Amino acid sequence: MSDLFGNSRRVVSVLVPVAIDTAYSYKLPRDMEVAPGSIVVVPLGPRKVIGVVWDEAAGGETVGDNRLREIEHAFPAPPLGPSLRRFVDWVGSYYLMPRGMVMRMVIRSPEALEPEARIRGIRHSGPAPERLTDARKRVLELTADGAGWSRSGLAASAAVSSGVIDGLIAQGTLEEVWLEPGRAIAAPDPDFAPPTLSAEQQDAAVALRAAASERGFSVTLLDGVTGSGKTEVYFEAVAETLRQGRQAAILLPEIALTGEFLDRFAERFGARPAEWHSQVSPKARAQVWRGVVNGEIKAVVGARSALFLPFADLGLIVVDEEHDGAYKQDEGVNYHARDMAVVRGRLGGFPVVLSSATPSIESRVNADQGRYRRLILEKRARGAVLPDIEAIDLRRHLPARGRFLSPPLVQALRDTLKRGEQALLFLNRRGYAPLTLCRTCGHRFQCPECSTWLVEHRFRGVLTCHHCGHTMRRPDHCPECGEVDSLIACGPGIERIAEEVADEFPDAHRMILSSDLPGGVQRMKEELAAVARGEADIVIGTQLVAKGHNFPKLTLVGVVDADLGLAHGDPRAAEKTFQLLQQVTGRAGRAARSTDDERRAARSTDDGHRAARPTDDERRAARSTDDENGYAGGAARGLLQTYAPGHPVIRAIVAGDREGFYAHEIEERRVVGLPPFGRLAGIVVSADDREQAASLAQALGRSAPSADRVIVLGPTEAPLAVIRGRHRFRLLVKSDRSVDLQAYVKRWFAASPPPRGSQRVSVDIDPQSFL
């Protein structure tokens, strides 16, 4: 009998989920049949591991067939498809990562590989009980149709204790049975609630529906201003994909976005999509994995890891907020989900939609050069108007001593509260203060494991490191000189801004939104929903609030420090700052703007003077009226506090000159040969000892081969020189786009001394971080 590769030896290649790039050969037992993509259990040294039968021919080992080990088990799960296997190969080759580690991301839910176990349940089977209480009556009403129930589900639905059910079983009214696992998966209906689109949206939707129906590879950049209704437009591509019976995946950059997004999806399609991210329970992840691989689940919304799900018939990928840095994974397997979504679409032959109000430079250049189609939405949906953006020059409008909000921003907040509207204060810095020092001796609190300051989190009474997680209680005296009450906080975080807001506006309802506050993702979702309902007057948040949220009653955004991202030695600093500021100011004014007369009436009392601060009862009454009549707020504004109002990024934001910024930034990249006009590879050498890290980095630098159109910079100590106790040095490879950068790095490393002991070398193709 021939094996799956056409030879008479029953030997196959198996890729195992460990840090190796090669597949191993295994013998196939006589009673076992597998195919490329079959998921199996194989021995690997003393362990048994899950692996996948791979396409390449077996037999590269030097051992004889009689010494090859056998596959021990083949799972009944469907084989991984050929395009997914090619995708694993492609990701490993491009990012210089072991294919085994890439494949590990595909089978990261081992519980899903076996059929879900049956569960013990309850059903109606006999005569009514001798004594019929109200509790028993409720149970019998629910079970009258003879359908099976789980014990816990029946008790909860009937609002009875398990004792009531046990009593009915003892009397023979109910019986225990085995129930098939799983639950019915509601399929999204593409025609459940078609939206009413503007003419501009409709044109874009027609183009996306056509791309989905053509069943071929394409990439579309959906480029629309904040609040332009991009989600409703790309939902039409999802709808067309579902009509064809195919599957759709929508990637989101932030888990906190999923709650609101799932509701919007259900409103459009009549059912929620499956979720896939780190907060989903292992059992639920296993159910999603099974449903995806067998084709029962038609739509998945998830984080970047959803890209590696084994879809049975994937017909569309949407990458929402495609510019977001969260799509780049920097630990384990380094990859960029936006770029790999395009690769998976090309390998699978289906369309990819990239959506953003502030596209990445890479995507914009690809669109300008004709590689991607670009659909533009220039207007906000439902008559809303973009906010007016102004810069507050902190050189002229200094905050009060010990404060961080300038007088113009404080006045704008006061005016917004008088109108019963919401305001957002944005500062991309978690905690209370980024540095704590002793004013007597100058001692600074630094992380013992990292070369960074400890950040004070006053709400929790701790100093913590945001890189390794080291935490200590905030002391009441200096550990260096012993002076009591000498510690001072330097600089603001959002907790300090919240403290200032509480002093300035004690009657306002405040809410802090940050990813590191207690309560986790669930609390974050609840608070975001509360903001959307208008239950907070002033929101103080980090970059979390800049990601796609819709707060209808928000009319003012104040950026506490617009210069924060511009001081870094990052070639993408201008782009990232522009995107962040444009996104966060775009949270303002997403509801339709009221008329000038309405705004004047809202701003003043009958005698023409400024209205007094409204009471809580007045605010609640205003919100109630808004909810009944539809919100019509004041003119939306964005205020940027800055010491550099002449900086090109600040000027572009204030002037609304989006195209001017892109033209300037693209030309800058072209001149110096930075991506997307050149290529970069970041190399980090680390070790437990600084000298060991430095010596290997220097040896690597000396062994770098000479090549045309390739420059190797470094080694130099990394800006974050120590992380988690490991000393770090960086090298950077810069090349023309025409250079095979991966081949160069492979050749370089082959001629370099290997790491020894605690030394490690990591490679980051297309790096996004340079710390």
Side-chain angles (χ1 to χ4, degrees):
M1 174 183 281
S2 297
D3 71 0
L4 69 164
F5 296 107
N7 57 59
S8 58
R9 301 165 61 236
R10 289 178 59 81
V11 178
V12 297
S13 292
V14 176
L15 191 63
V16 292
V18 295
I20 57 173
D21 197 52
T22 57
Y24 289 152
S25 294
Y26 287 88
K27 286 196 297 186
L28 197 61
R30 289 184 178 278
D31 59 348
M32 183 183 295
E33 295 296 332
V34 296
S38 292
I39 304 174
V40 296
V41 174
V42 296
L44 184 67
R47 300 181 294 154
K48 291 179 175 60
V49 300
I50 297 172
V52 177
V53 177
W54 222 243
D55 302 76
E56 55 207 55
E61 293 81 0
T62 57
V63 301
D65 285 3
N66 60 331
R67 295 184 60 189
L68 290 177
R69 305 171 79 176
E70 286 191 344
I71 294 175
E72 296 196 359
H73 177 67
F75 289 101
L80 304 182
S83 68
L84 179 56
R85 300 196 303 274
R86 291 197 304 271
F87 181 61
V88 169
D89 288 338
W90 206 99
V91 172
S93 174
Y94 184 82
Y95 288 106
L96 299 179
M97 292 288 158
R99 289 183 299 165
M101 296 303 290
V102 181
M103 193 268 292
R104 188 177 188 174
M105 295 192 293
V106 176
I107 54 173
R108 62 191 306 165
S109 183
E111 304 91 341
L113 300 177
E114 294 282 10
E116 194 171 357
R118 294 190 301 169
I119 59 175
R120 292 192 67 83
I122 308 294
R123 73 177 178 190
H124 193 287
S125 63
E130 296 176 359
R131 188 169 62 89
L132 193 60
T133 64
D134 289 342
R136 287 180 169 182
K137 187 182 296 184
R138 292 196 299 271
V139 172
L140 296 183
E141 288 173 353
L142 289 173
T143 58
D145 60 359
W149 286 76
S150 69
R151 183 184 294 268
S152 60
L154 180 57
S157 298
V160 300
S161 68
S162 60
V164 174
I165 294 173
D166 291 338
L168 290 171
I169 293 173
Q171 293 197 27
T173 304
L174 302 180
E175 67 174 349
E176 292 187 293
V177 295
W178 286 105
L179 301 177
E180 292 301 318
R183 62 182 185 276
I185 300 171
D189 179 0
D191 301 309
F192 178 78
T196 301
L197 302 176
S198 68
E200 187 179 53
Q201 287 177 308
Q202 184 63 34
D203 290 344
V206 168
L208 290 183
R209 281 195 293 264
S213 64
E214 289 169 2
R215 287 178 167 258
F217 170 65
S218 65
V219 183
T220 301
L221 175 62
L222 183 57
D223 181 357
V225 299
T226 55
S228 59
K230 296 181 290 296
T231 303
E232 287 81 0
V233 171
Y234 71 64
F235 272 174
E236 295 309 292
V238 174
E240 184 60 34
T241 303
L242 296 174
R243 290 188 189 100
Q244 298 175 22
R246 307 189 75 187
Q247 295 166 298
I250 303 173
L251 305 187
L252 301 178
E254 179 65 55
I255 295 172
L257 291 174
T258 56
E260 177 189 352
F261 187 90
L262 295 176
D263 291 340
R264 294 178 70 181
F265 189 98
E267 289 171 4
R268 170 63 179 86
F269 296 103
R272 285 191 162 208
E275 289 184 72
W276 184 268
H277 50 73
S278 60
Q279 297 298 311
V280 176
S281 69
K283 182 177 180 180
R285 287 166 74 90
Q287 291 172 339
V288 172
W289 200 96
R290 287 191 200 97
V292 162
V293 77
N294 64 29
E296 291 180 4
I297 288 179
K298 295 299 183 182
V300 175
V301 171
R304 60 184 179 232
S305 59
L307 188 62
F308 292 88
L309 281 170
F311 292 93
D313 186 17
L314 186 56
L316 174 73
I317 295 177
V318 177
V319 184
D320 201 356
E321 308 289 353
E322 64 87 25
H323 66 278
D324 199 288
Y327 285 121
K328 179 65 189 291
Q329 178 163 297
D330 291 320
E331 293 186 353
V333 177
N334 295 331
Y335 71 94
H336 200 301
R338 178 199 64 220
D339 299 342
M340 293 305 99
V342 173
V343 171
R344 187 157 189 192
R346 180 170 60 81
L347 294 174
F350 56 78
V352 177
V353 176
L354 309 179
S355 175
S356 178
T358 53
S360 63
I361 296 294
E362 288 82 355
S363 295
R364 179 60 189 269
V365 169
N366 278 325
D368 290 347
Q369 294 180 346
R371 296 189 186 95
Y372 299 170
R373 174 192 297 173
R374 182 181 175 214
L375 302 177
I376 304 173
L377 301 177
E378 296 181 338
K379 300 176 182 177
R380 282 192 157 181
R382 295 174 291 278
V385 180
L386 288 166
D388 299 323
I389 310 297
E390 304 166 41
I392 298 175
D393 189 344
L394 292 178
R395 298 170 301 182
R396 297 175 51 212
H397 302 285
L398 283 174
R401 184 176 179 82
R403 299 296 180 109
F404 301 94
L405 303 181
S406 62
L409 180 53
V410 171
Q411 183 60 47
L413 288 167
R414 186 169 290 113
D415 294 341
T416 301
L417 293 178
K418 287 177 180 177
R419 295 193 301 269
E421 298 167 356
Q422 285 179 314
L424 166 66
L425 292 176
F426 170 76
L427 177 62
N428 198 23
R429 186 181 279 156
R430 294 175 287 162
Y432 184 85
L435 171 64
T436 300
L437 59 79
C438 173
R439 60 187 165 196
T440 300
C441 71
H443 172 74
R444 301 183 179 197
F445 285 83
Q446 183 171 335
C447 176
E449 298 294 323
C450 305
S451 54
T452 57
W453 309 124
L454 294 178
V455 177
E456 180 182 356
H457 287 256
R458 187 159 293 186
F459 291 175
R460 291 185 284 144
V462 299
L463 304 176
T464 190
C465 174
H466 287 168
H467 296 281
C468 73
H470 171 81
T471 299
M472 61 177 288
R473 300 299 301 176
R474 186 183 186 277
D476 57 6
H477 65 277
C478 175
E480 189 71 22
C481 69
E483 188 71 22
V484 177
D485 295 332
S486 65
L487 304 181
I488 59 173
C490 299
I494 59 167
E495 293 178 11
R496 194 168 194 175
I497 299 302
E499 184 179 84
E500 184 173 339
V501 168
D503 290 342
E504 190 72 40
F505 305 102
D507 297 331
H509 296 285
R510 302 172 303 280
M511 188 172 291
I512 297 177
L513 295 178
S514 177
S515 59
D516 59 358
L517 291 178
V521 173
Q522 186 56 40
R523 171 182 169 177
M524 198 185 310
K525 290 180 178 179
E526 292 172 357
E527 291 182 338
L528 287 168
V531 175
R533 293 191 299 268
E535 296 175 9
D537 297 318
I538 301 177
V539 180
I540 304 100
T542 62
Q543 65 177 350
L544 171 73
V545 299
K547 299 184 178 185
H549 304 293
N550 183 26
F551 304 139
K553 299 179 182 179
L554 183 70
T555 60
L556 173 68
V557 172
V559 178
V560 177
D561 187 352
D563 308 328
L564 190 57
L566 295 173
H568 299 161
D570 182 345
R572 292 187 175 88
E575 176 191 6
K576 292 176 181 177
T577 301
F578 176 84
Q579 290 165 339
L580 188 58
L581 296 180
Q582 189 88 330
Q583 290 281 345
V584 73
T585 54
R587 298 311 102 197
R590 293 169 76 93
R593 182 189 284 189
S594 60
T595 65
D596 289 342
D597 289 341
E598 289 170 330
R599 287 199 299 275
R600 281 193 291 270
R603 287 195 181 110
S604 49
T605 57
D606 291 339
D607 61 2
H609 294 90
R610 292 288 184 186
R613 178 183 295 155
T615 65
D616 288 347
D617 288 341
E618 289 170 337
R619 284 199 188 94
R620 281 191 288 270
R623 289 185 186 125
S624 177
T625 302
D626 288 340
D627 291 338
E628 293 174 4
N629 301 331
Y631 181 67
R637 299 176 71 194
L639 301 179
L640 312 180
Q641 293 193 153
T642 176
Y643 284 100
H647 192 284
V649 170
I650 304 298
R651 287 207 314 266
I653 293 285
V654 171
D657 188 9
R658 188 170 173 272
E659 291 304 301
F661 170 78
Y662 277 102
H664 177 269
E665 187 67 13
I666 288 170
E667 184 58 27
E668 289 276 306
R669 301 271 187 96
R670 190 194 315 273
V671 169
V672 297
L674 286 174
F677 304 102
R679 302 195 60 198
L680 296 176
I683 297 167
V684 175
V685 179
S686 65
D688 293 340
D689 177 77
R690 186 181 186 281
E691 290 306 315
Q692 289 184 11
S695 64
L696 180 58
Q698 290 163 3
L700 272 176
R702 289 192 297 268
S703 63
S706 177
D708 291 340
R709 303 183 303 281
V710 177
I711 300 173
V712 177
L713 304 173
T716 185
E717 200 163 33
L720 285 177
V722 185
I723 295 181
R724 298 184 181 94
R726 295 187 62 82
H727 297 263
R728 307 167 70 246
F729 286 77
R730 293 192 65 102
L731 300 97
L732 185 67
V733 187
K734 178 175 177 291
S735 76
D736 285 358
R737 283 202 64 82
S738 59
V739 172
D740 186 342
L741 190 57
Q742 287 83 351
Y744 175 86
V745 173
K746 286 181 181 178
R747 188 168 74 252
W748 177 13
F749 282 15
S752 300
R756 300 185 185 280
S758 69
Q759 294 173 331
R760 299 288 184 272
V761 178
S762 64
V763 181
D764 187 4
I765 302 295
D766 303 334
Q768 297 288 310
S769 171
F770 298 85
L771 298 178

